[in-house]
Amino acid sequence: KQEVTQIPAALSVPEGENLVLNCSFTDSAIYNLQWFRQDPGKGLTSLLLIQSSQREQTSGRLNASLDKSSGRSTLYIAASQPGDSATYLCAGTSGTYKYIFGTGTRLKVLA
Amino acid sequence: GAVVSQHPSWVICKSGTSVKIECRSLDFQATTMFWYRQFPKQSLMLMATSNEGSKATYEQGVEKDKFLINHASLTLSTLTVTSAHPEDSSFYICSARWTGGASSGANVLTFGAGSRLTVL
């Protein structure tokens, strides 16, 4: 059974810092991987999608990579801002489009 | 494109009543939709896969008779929580699989904004 762990569980940093959020899968056979952002009491916003043929995706200050050999993904946030404060979730699928979600990282960026 | 709308966004009901939550794909057709449940400060747990024109596939431990799913059209799936009890209070989120071409974002799951259910 696929399990997804995100480290750290919570993170508090001053504004401007570069951050790395980690996600690891017990089964490294990942087909697609998505990183999401969730604000308190809200739904999910898709940030980045890494499809089966890809290893990395970038959008603005965000960069996500996937190492399929180890089943690990990282989300890099450059020059963090208070508006980045949210919970970040990674989710992966092994090909059935049934995404399994990670435990989440609660990020707080201090002004 | 690829917008999913969920309704209602929040609902409060008395114990024993049934509550229906709708999930609509607004600008694309979705043969497959997924229903997730999220308890406070926890991650999303997949409840079931909703398939247009056929029965839903439920995850282990999810009661089929408790959580009725109907995917009657290519743009609408509904989740009905029957005889709701306080322990059913949760945040329910649906997602739809976008089956567009590779250049348009195939294999992307688009999520609704969620529906918060509180059972008194």
Side-chain angles (χ1 to χ4, degrees):
Chain A
K1 178 186 173 185
Q2 177 73 280
E3 292 184 0
V4 187
T5 303
Q6 288 186 245
I7 295 173
L11 185 61
S12 184
V13 299
E15 182 177 7
E17 279 204 6
N18 299 325
L19 310 171
V20 176
L21 307 183
N22 298 290
C23 173
S24 62
F25 297 79
T26 53
D27 183 349
S28 61
I30 306 299
Y31 191 72
N32 289 335
L33 181 137
Q34 280 187 243
W35 280 93
F36 297 88
R37 168 187 174 136
Q38 185 177 32
D39 292 289
K42 304 291 185 182
L44 301 181
T45 301
S46 179
L47 298 174
L48 292 165
L49 164 69
I50 301 178
Q51 297 191 60
S52 59
S53 59
Q54 302 169 330
R55 293 294 179 270
E56 188 176 3
Q57 282 291 315
T58 298
S59 176
R61 295 182 293 108
L62 305 179
N63 174 275
S65 63
L66 174 61
D67 180 350
K68 292 194 174 185
S69 64
S70 65
R72 295 176 186 270
S73 177
T74 59
L75 176 67
Y76 178 80
I77 302 176
S80 59
Q81 302 171 357
D84 295 330
S85 298
T87 295
Y88 290 81
L89 296 163
C90 67
T93 176
S94 55
T96 62
Y97 306 110
K98 188 191 297 187
Y99 276 78
I100 305 299
F101 279 81
T103 47
T105 293
R106 291 188 303 281
L107 172 64
K108 191 168 187 178
V109 181
L110 306 171
Chain B
V3 177
V4 172
S5 173
Q6 238 180 286
H7 179 81
S9 56
W10 59 269
V11 57
I12 300 173
C13 69
K14 293 181 179 180
S15 184
T17 60
S18 294
V19 175
K20 180 185 285 188
I21 300 170
E22 293 186 347
C23 179
R24 292 182 185 273
S25 56
L26 296 186
D27 50 2
F28 67 102
Q29 293 182 334
T31 56
T32 306
M33 293 184 176
F34 302 90
W35 286 96
Y36 291 83
R37 179 168 55 184
Q38 185 180 37
F39 291 108
K41 296 188 178 181
Q42 294 187 26
S43 191
L44 278 72
M45 298 300 295
L46 180 65
M47 298 175 65
T49 303
S50 173
N51 303 297
E52 187 270 333
S54 64
K55 292 182 179 180
T57 304
Y58 290 81
E59 295 300 300
Q60 192 173 10
V62 178
E63 299 176 58
K64 300 178 183 181
D65 297 331
K66 175 76 173 176
F67 301 100
L68 300 179
I69 292 174
N70 184 11
H71 194 152
S73 76
L74 287 171
T75 59
L76 174 65
S77 175
T78 60
L79 168 69
T80 300
V81 183
T82 62
S83 187
H85 291 283
E87 58 265 29
D88 298 324
S89 299
S90 185
F91 194 50
Y92 293 87
I93 304 178
C94 72
S95 68
R97 182 167 73 93
W98 187 13
T99 56
S103 62
S104 62
N107 309 325
V108 174
L109 276 192
T110 301
F111 283 78
S115 300
R116 185 164 301 283
L117 170 63
T118 301
V119 185
L120 303 177

